[in-house]
Each structure stands twice: as C-alpha cells, then as structure tokens.
Amino acid sequence: VARVTITEVARRAGVSIASASRALNGQVASAETVERVRAAAEELGYVADATARSLKLGRTHQLGYAVADIGNPVYVEIMGALEAVVAAAGYRLTISTTGDAAATVDLVRSLGRGYVDGLVLSPLRVTDELVQAIRQAPVPVVVLGNLPDDAGIDTVRADSGRGMELVVAHLVDEGRRRLAFLNGPADTTPGRARRAGFQRAVDSRGVVSLEATARDFTIAEGYGAARTLLERALADGAASLPDAIVAANDLMGIGAIHAADDLGLRVPEDIAVTGVDDTELAQVSRPGLTSVDLGAAERGRVAADLLVARLAEPDRPAHSVTVAPTLQVRGSSRVAGPRALEDDKTWGAAG
Amino acid sequence: VARVTITEVARRAGVSIASASRALNGQVASAETVERVRAAAEELGYVADATARSLKLGRTHQLGYAVADIGNPVYVEIMGALEAVVAAAGYRLTISTTGDAAATVDLVRSLGRGYVDGLVLSPLRVTDELVQAIRQAPVPVVVLGNLPDDAGIDTVRADSGRGMELVVAHLVDEGRRRLAFLNGPADTTPGRARRAGFQRAVDSRGVVSLEATARDFTIAEGYGAARTLLERALADGAASLPDAIVAANDLMGIGAIHAADDLGLRVPEDIAVTGVDDTELAQVSRPGLTSVDLGAAERGRVAADLLVARLAEPDRPAHSVTVAPTLQVRGSSRVAGPRALEDDKTWGAAG
DNA sequence: ATGAAAGCGCTAACAA
DNA sequence: TTGTTAGCGCTTTCAT
C-alpha cells in the first residue's frame, strides 16, 4: 500500500526522473526510454500524484458544482449533464452545497486557486455582493440563473416566462378560459419569473386569471393551496371554478391533481392541471401531468461547455445563453377525443 | 484577480512566512503576530492554496463517491446523505461515474494518492478483481453493497431479503394468498437478493407464488411484464389471478399499478401492489404505493461515518454494517376499512 | 516566539 | 535525447 513516486520509476528504469516524466507524458524521449519507463511504471503500479502535478501546473483538473440543495430533481438532472461533459473534457466534478445566500458568497470567495479550476453555480438568490464576488473570483464561474446581462459573467438561463406562455397558449387552445396560477413563494427567482410570464400570457389573451400562493414548492403545500382555492370557488358556485390550474412546478401540480381529485373534480374533464420542469413525476402521475420542460439537462450541458471553453480561452467575452423551453402535453390537460392514455406513456425514456 | 500567497501576507505583516503560517493555523505565535498576520491576510483577501497544502500534508480533504449512474433516485439519496456527513467532517465530496465493471476497477486502481483521501463505492457488480483492487488501494474504500464478509473491507449493506420478508408478511396479513413476484434482470445483485428473499418468505408461509421477469428495472418494462402476466392469468379464468404483485422496485411497482388499471383491475381491491425503495414516486402515486424503504439515506450516512472513522484510525478492523429495512404501507396494499386516502399523504416529509 | 531552510512529487527550463 | 536543477505554495523541523 506504499505509494510509488516517479523517483522509483526512474530508478527502476535506469533513467533520470526528468526522462521518466517526459516518457510518461509523451514528451520527447527515445523509443527505448519510453518503453523502459512504461514497463517500470506498470510493474510498480505507478500513478502520478495528482496533488503534486496540480501544484506544479497550477491546474487541478477539477471543476465544482455548487448548489443549494442536492436532491432537488432539477439540480440532479443538471448535475448529471455536467458530469458527462466535464468527464469527457478530462475533469473531475466536485459537489458542494451552499445553503443560504451568505454561504454562497463565502464559497465563491474561498475559491482561491486550489481546489477547482472553475465553478458552475446555481445560486438561490443573486445579490450584488455575489456578483462582486464572482467577478473577483480567481477562477472562472458560470452561473445558472438570472444575472444582469452587463455583469460580464457567463450565464445560462431557463426561459420560464416563455414556458408559461407555452402552457397558457396550449390551455387556451384546448378551450380553457379561467386559469388559476398556483405559485410558490413570490420572493424567489423562479416564483417571480413564472408569475410574470403567466400574467403576460394571460393578459395578452384576455382570459380570466386567478392566483394562489403556496408557502413552498412542494406537493403538500401545492395540495393545500389548490384545495383552498378550489373549495372557495366551489362555495361561490360552479361558475366561478377555474377550468385550469397552472402550477409553478411539477410537485405543486401533482398536489393540485390530488386536491381536485379529493374534491370530486375530474382531471382533465372538469379542470386541467399543468406543471413545470417535466420531472419523472409528471410522466408517472395519472393522468400524466402536462409540463414545461425548462431544459435542465441542456442547461447543464451548456454551462459545462461554457466553463470548459473559458478555461481554454480565459479572455473571451462573456456569453449569455438562454435555453428554450418545450411543452410536454399529457393527459392532465388534454381532453379532446377519447382519452388517450397510451399517449401518456413516454416511459421509454424514463430509464 | 492575482492570487495572493502566504509570502505576500508575511511581507505585509512584517514577519517570516513561517510565522505567518503558524499564526494562520493557530500554532504558537505571539498575540501581536497573530493580529498583524490576520489583518494582512484579511486586507489581501488571502486564501491558502489547497493544492500546496495538500502536497505538504499528504491529505486532500476530499472524499470521492463513485457510482454507475447518478440520476438513479436511490443513488441521489445516498449522495445527499454522504455530502452532509462529509461536509460536516470538513471534507469535500467529488463525484465520479463508473460505467461498467471494468471501469470501476480502473477507477479504484487510479486512486493513487492524489485526488481523494478516501472513496465510497457503489459497484454495479462485485468481481474478484474489484475486491483485489480495493484491498490494494492506497486510500480507504468503503463499499455499498454485498461483499464477502472476510474480505476485510468496510461494507454497508441493505437487507433486501429481510425487506421482501416484510412485504410478504404484510400482504399475507392482509389476506393475500396468491403473490406474484415482478423482478428485473435476475443476474444483477439486487435482482438475485430480492428474488431469494421473496422465495424464502413465500415458502415459509405456504402461499401460492408466481414470477415474472422484466428486462429492466423501469416503469415501462414493469408495465409490460405485469400486463403480460395479468393477461395470461385472466385468460385462464379469474381464479388464477394473483391477488398481489410484489415488484422489485418502485418503478416497476408503478408500472404494475398502471397495467392493472388498464386491464380494469382495481388496486388494492382486486389486486395489491408493492414496491421497493420508498422513493418519492411511491408517495406521489395514486393509490400510494406500499414500499420497502431499504434505508438509502441511512446507508449513505453510515458509509460516510465509516470512511471518516477509518481515516482517523487506519488500522481498525473492517466493519460490516447492515441497515434494516422498514415497510411503508400505503393505499396500494391496504383495503381494510374505508379506503383511507388521507393516510397516504406522507407528504409532510416530501420536501 | 521567531526565522531559515528543507522538502512534499512533480514538470519544465536549461545545459550538455 | 538526456540529466541537473529550480520551483510551484505550503508546513514544519531545527536553530536561535
């Protein structure tokens, strides 16, 4: 279990450590030297010490992903995509959780050359302090989220406004005219953006809109808020009932389906429900939950690409990429024709 | 964006770099020196270079988690638990995907001192070659999975055999007498273990058992295999229908519920369905899917604890911990009394 | 309590 | 093509 250094390999091969290093790294060296060194390394089970190499080269071949909450399916999907790109580019991925906004700033400040060559950051909230810290960071940082365009920072965004537009357009196409927006806390970035998008879409079409706010983006809170909303409407008479609930994410959408169900409302016949994120939950739910895919995997890929590109070319101008959303229509919003359950089974891709 | 080294801090504070180092690391130093160095470091925004420190100290303060497929909810849950423990112990977590068995062995062999101080490994399959590589690894490795007990390797296991026992006992208690086991590929570790556990539980109770094998542990394959099974049974007359389907994981359980539904069978009245893993899908499904929690989060915690403990005490004997499964009973298997939908809502914990 | 200096393992500039 | 050597930034003896 003793670790073997290049010195021993060199001795074994009967060459200097410099020659050993060159042979191992494909630098100029005679065929014979290469052969001898390779053999010696093989026999000894030599693996170069990554730390020493990093110190010398000034690069760690590690990239970081910092996120508030691993476990959130959206972040997991992003992480999976990151890992793939990063590994292909010859880097390792290290994960950190950032907790609150202050901790995020601390993390970025502590980035001093050493443990990663670059960072992908999914910040909970973007503060001026954070933007400052990122600009002063000694390694490149790519941000997933909404940053001022003039900040000069590589950014990749989801377009949740456009996503809400897609949902509303679809529902109106399906003949829905009274749409309720089921939002999470409005002081969060996604909460704000989705609300604004919904409002814009609804206003431009002149359909009726209601709104309910849940305390958190969870199934339980979504269920509670949706149930309250529906019970109030029912009390006012069936005419005041919305004919669609647009939830701000899939979890709340699932909660809304269950709330409708518990109140004896049929989905989608009496009321349509939609979500956002197109998670596996949306595919599995019955009826399948129509959902806007905000392109989490794609955003992860793009973020990793941006980071790798910047590492290769540190002075290039900052890029700001927006990934287009796509709508996955499922049974929760589609009543036309005989209810085509089979269509909901997009399971082939579920893994 | 220039990175500042300890040399500059020392100069600024008017002391030697040795004193600066001591002051920063809480070694012996006069109060005044400490004060001056602290101030200088603060002003300069000094962050110690992790690479150089690692090289000197021989420790990276990084731990690795290697897994075939991030994205699998069970692995994600494990990873979350790992991250928490690891961060609390002052380490960072780096993630690698391992692909197939050969790649796993390569990864372990490449572990040579350098990028992690220790590794948690979730191998797809355990081969002799892998066991060899782990024993020769220059850093401690903790394995999540089934390893020979005499291998002298820290191990944490799920007890899926006992889990199947719990499920079968519950179903028999509920009056079920014809149980169908819906398995994934039998040549995988979980496939084998769950099958054996099911068989043992069923044999000892003398109830009827059937078996179907899906090509993969997915919703789609689970749906297909369950549907085929049920259609055949229906063709033979209602008496030959199983009154419960025991699926080898939640995904297949969900597939089975949908298959039963599509064939006009009511769950749980006509047929009960159970899963394994107690994922969020089980909670969200309607009816809620009764599922065995194999303790993924707990296993992650234990694995991290074992690794941290071994790092602190390299020569301690190998531990082998088995985490007990627990059964989460939900509506898919519980018909007694008025169907208590509210009971299925274990959402409070869903996050 | 402090400073000078060695050295962790490696790569690269330089000399031969 | 090869060997000698400096040095990446840090911690830690060893003197003082």
Side-chain angles (χ1 to χ4, degrees):
Chain A
V1 190
R3 54 238 194 272
V4 14
T5 72
I6 200 172
T7 310
E8 301 169 50
V9 173
R11 177 160 31 210
R12 177 98 164 208
V15 299
S16 71
I17 58 170
S19 291
S21 173
R22 282 186 294 249
L24 258 7
N25 295 317
Q27 309 278 36
V28 282
S30 72
E32 193 199 329
T33 301
V34 170
E35 182 46 44
R36 300 241 303 276
V37 172
R38 283 263 159 79
E42 179 86 12
E43 289 172 45
L44 266 33
Y46 170 75
V47 179
D49 183 313
T51 304
R53 174 178 270 161
S54 294
L55 179 59
K56 179 66 191 177
L57 298 183
R59 286 174 298 118
T60 61
H61 285 281
Q62 288 199 159
L63 266 24
Y65 178 46
V67 62
D69 162 37
I70 327 183
N72 180 319
V74 176
Y75 293 146
V76 171
E77 199 174 343
I78 290 175
M79 187 181 66
L82 280 177
E83 209 279 338
V85 175
V86 153
Y91 290 87
R92 285 182 301 271
L93 217 221
T94 105
I95 306 296
S96 350
T97 46
T98 60
D100 59 10
T104 309
V105 173
D106 283 349
L107 178 85
V108 173
R109 290 218 178 110
S110 78
L111 226 45
R113 209 207 72 185
Y115 84 98
V116 286
D117 296 341
L119 183 74
V120 174
L121 182 65
S122 284
L124 261 190
R125 274 169 240 268
V126 176
T127 62
D128 287 347
E129 207 184 1
L130 179 60
V131 172
Q132 266 307 312
I134 292 173
R135 308 184 68 158
Q136 291 170 4
V139 299
V141 176
V142 173
V143 174
L144 285 162
N146 286 296
L147 230 57
D149 252 338
D150 57 359
I153 297 172
D154 289 317
T155 310
V156 16
R157 295 187 172 82
D159 190 348
S160 49
R162 173 91 189 107
M164 300 316 286
E165 170 75 27
L166 288 178
V167 169
V168 169
H170 161 69
L171 289 171
V172 170
D173 273 359
E174 293 277 328
R176 311 287 172 168
R177 291 294 178 269
R178 295 179 57 81
L179 312 191
F181 181 52
L182 179 58
N183 201 7
D187 65 335
T188 58
T189 309
R192 237 193 326 269
R194 288 166 203 193
R195 180 171 195 270
F198 174 81
Q199 211 50 255
R200 210 176 315 122
V202 149
D203 289 348
S204 73
R205 283 178 179 75
V207 297
V208 179
S209 75
L210 323 181
E211 182 168 345
T213 304
R215 277 175 303 231
D216 199 359
F217 292 93
T218 59
I219 295 177
E221 296 295 339
Y223 176 90
R227 180 156 183 153
T228 304
L229 173 84
L230 293 175
E231 279 173 341
R232 289 219 179 110
L234 282 169
D236 292 350
S240 70
L241 205 65
D243 54 14
I245 293 182
V246 175
N249 75 356
D250 283 354
L251 294 172
M252 298 176 60
I254 300 274
I257 288 181
H258 291 191
D261 195 25
D262 284 353
L263 293 172
L265 298 168
R266 290 166 308 161
V267 177
E269 290 82 356
D270 300 324
I271 188 164
V273 178
T274 65
V276 172
D277 285 341
D278 193 32
T279 58
E280 190 166 39
L281 296 180
Q283 299 174 29
V284 164
S285 150
R286 278 228 158 167
L289 178 66
T290 291
S291 186
V292 184
D293 183 353
L294 258 21
E298 179 63 16
R299 279 181 284 149
R301 254 188 306 276
V302 171
D305 285 339
L306 286 182
L307 190 52
V308 169
R310 175 152 309 282
L311 256 13
E313 190 189 344
D315 293 326
R316 70 184 213 149
H319 288 216
S320 167
V321 179
T322 300
V323 172
T326 53
L327 183 67
Q328 294 292 338
V329 176
R330 300 200 179 85
S332 70
S333 71
R334 185 214 307 118
V335 71
R339 191 156 153 227
L341 271 178
E342 294 295 330
D343 292 355
D344 287 355
K345 284 166 199 148
T346 48
W347 298 338
Chain B
V1 190
R3 53 230 195 273
V4 15
T5 72
I6 200 171
T7 309
E8 301 169 50
V9 173
R11 178 159 32 211
R12 176 99 164 207
V15 300
S16 70
I17 58 170
S19 291
S21 173
R22 281 186 293 248
L24 258 7
N25 295 316
Q27 310 280 33
V28 282
S30 73
E32 194 199 327
T33 300
V34 170
E35 182 46 43
R36 299 242 301 277
V37 172
R38 282 263 158 80
E42 179 86 12
E43 289 172 44
L44 266 32
Y46 170 74
V47 180
D49 183 312
T51 303
R53 174 177 271 161
S54 294
L55 180 58
K56 182 65 192 175
L57 300 183
R59 287 173 296 119
T60 60
H61 285 281
Q62 287 199 158
L63 266 24
Y65 178 45
V67 62
D69 162 37
I70 328 184
N72 180 319
V74 175
Y75 293 145
V76 171
E77 199 173 342
I78 290 175
M79 187 181 66
L82 280 176
E83 208 279 337
V85 175
V86 154
Y91 291 88
R92 286 183 300 271
L93 217 221
T94 106
I95 306 296
S96 348
T97 46
T98 59
D100 59 11
T104 309
V105 173
D106 283 349
L107 178 85
V108 173
R109 291 217 178 111
S110 78
L111 225 45
R113 207 206 75 183
Y115 85 98
V116 286
D117 296 341
L119 183 74
V120 174
L121 183 65
S122 284
L124 262 189
R125 275 169 239 268
V126 176
T127 61
D128 287 346
E129 207 184 3
L130 180 60
V131 172
Q132 265 308 312
I134 292 173
R135 307 183 69 158
Q136 290 170 5
V139 299
V141 175
V142 174
V143 174
L144 285 162
N146 286 296
L147 229 58
D149 251 338
D150 57 359
I153 297 173
D154 289 317
T155 310
V156 16
R157 296 185 171 83
D159 191 348
S160 49
R162 172 91 188 107
M164 301 315 287
E165 170 74 26
L166 287 177
V167 170
V168 170
H170 160 69
L171 289 171
V172 171
D173 274 358
E174 292 276 330
R176 312 287 172 168
R177 291 296 178 269
R178 295 179 57 80
L179 312 191
F181 181 53
L182 179 57
N183 200 8
D187 65 335
T188 59
T189 309
R192 236 191 328 266
R194 287 165 202 192
R195 180 171 196 270
F198 174 80
Q199 212 49 257
R200 210 176 315 123
V202 149
D203 289 348
S204 72
R205 282 177 180 77
V207 297
V208 179
S209 75
L210 323 180
E211 182 168 345
T213 304
R215 276 174 304 230
D216 200 359
F217 291 93
T218 60
I219 296 177
E221 296 295 338
Y223 177 90
R227 181 155 184 153
T228 304
L229 174 83
L230 293 174
E231 279 173 341
R232 289 217 180 113
L234 282 171
D236 293 351
S240 70
L241 206 65
D243 55 14
I245 293 182
V246 175
N249 75 356
D250 282 355
L251 293 172
M252 297 176 62
I254 301 271
I257 288 181
H258 291 191
D261 196 24
D262 285 353
L263 293 173
L265 298 168
R266 291 166 307 160
V267 177
E269 290 82 355
D270 299 324
I271 188 164
V273 177
T274 65
V276 172
D277 284 341
D278 193 32
T279 59
E280 191 166 37
L281 296 180
Q283 300 173 28
V284 164
S285 148
R286 279 227 158 167
L289 178 67
T290 291
S291 186
V292 184
D293 183 354
L294 258 19
E298 179 64 16
R299 279 180 284 149
R301 255 189 305 276
V302 171
D305 285 339
L306 286 181
L307 190 52
V308 170
R310 174 152 310 280
L311 255 13
E313 190 189 343
D315 294 326
R316 71 184 212 148
H319 287 217
S320 167
V321 178
T322 300
V323 171
T326 53
L327 184 67
Q328 294 292 338
V329 176
R330 300 202 177 86
S332 70
S333 70
R334 187 212 307 118
V335 71
R339 193 159 149 225
L341 270 177
E342 295 295 330
D343 292 355
D344 287 354
K345 286 167 196 145
T346 48
W347 299 338

